[in-house]
Amino acid sequence: MQTPTRLPPFLRGDIEGVHPLVSVWLRNLEEVSQTVDKWAADLSPEGFWWVPAPEANAIGGLVRHIGISSVRLYYRGIGQEIPEAYRLLPPEQLRVTHEPPAAVLEEFRGNLRLVWEGLCRLTQDDFEALRSWGDFAPVRAIYVFDHIAAHAQHHAGQIITTRKLWESLETHLYPPRL
């Protein structure tokens, strides 16, 4: 008999009390959170901050970037100024810092909680608001909010790939003894 698997977030349906579209975004962010926990939470500091190649990013930097950029996108979507703590641009967010993985993961979880709680408060009027972005023409905020989960999932995939590369390197350098 096969062991039952945990129901993936996208099959869990609506989250009570929020707009159905917000439920979709929140379920996607649940999946991102689970991906980060599965592929990053048990890494050694060496693996967490390992950079596989020039122009590539360490898992630790990706985890930090997902959290900070999600908050930045949320604030852009609601039309508020981005708080000072979230003004680091992507190159700084992705920088190798060698901080303890647990601290970076806790920061990530706190940032996703902030975004989760904010998205839960959105209404249809919030979706329709026009938001400017640099020199581009204004766009309805719904597109900015939608990009939060899409962007996070993109980088969560990079975390999976980087972890697999790390494990491959570890296996190659330290093959299992028979």
Side-chain angles (χ1 to χ4, degrees):
M1 186 170 147
Q2 196 171 18
T3 306
T5 58
R6 197 167 136 187
L7 191 62
F10 77 96
L11 293 176
R12 294 181 192 156
D14 289 343
I15 295 171
E16 189 175 331
V18 299
H19 189 283
L21 184 54
V22 172
S23 285
V24 172
W25 298 333
L26 295 177
R27 293 300 186 201
N28 287 332
L29 289 175
E30 277 184 80
E31 186 171 350
V32 168
S33 183
Q34 288 177 4
T35 297
V36 168
D37 283 344
K38 178 178 179 180
W39 295 95
D42 65 343
L43 272 168
S44 67
E46 183 183 20
F48 196 75
W49 291 111
W50 174 70
V51 178
E55 304 300 318
N57 298 301
I59 288 172
L62 291 166
V63 170
R64 171 171 285 119
H65 175 65
I66 292 169
I68 292 173
S69 62
S70 295
V71 172
R72 289 173 60 96
L73 285 164
Y74 169 71
Y75 276 103
R76 284 192 178 265
I78 61 173
Q80 290 187 10
E81 186 174 331
I82 297 168
E84 186 67 36
Y86 299 100
R87 290 192 184 161
L88 284 178
L89 296 177
E92 276 301 301
Q93 296 167 21
L94 292 160
R95 186 173 59 84
V96 173
T97 65
H98 298 289
E99 291 172 72
V104 177
L105 289 162
E106 186 55 36
E107 174 190 319
F108 161 79
R109 291 179 188 115
N111 287 335
L112 279 196
R113 267 191 307 276
L114 188 154
V115 171
W116 180 286
E117 291 166 2
L119 290 175
C120 284
R121 293 189 296 269
L122 296 178
T123 66
Q124 188 66 37
D125 289 342
D126 295 316
F127 300 158
E128 301 301 325
L130 291 178
R131 300 294 178 225
S132 297
W133 196 295
D135 295 334
F136 300 107
V139 63
R140 287 187 306 140
I142 195 169
Y143 291 101
V144 178
F145 296 129
D146 185 67
H147 189 62
I148 294 170
H151 177 264
Q153 287 182 321
H154 167 83
H155 288 301
Q158 291 176 321
I159 289 170
I160 294 169
T161 301
T162 304
R163 173 66 183 258
K164 288 181 178 184
L165 289 170
W166 172 251
E167 288 175 354
S168 172
L169 177 69
E170 276 193 315
T171 302
H172 176 71
L173 290 178
Y174 309 105
R177 296 178 185 239
L178 299 177

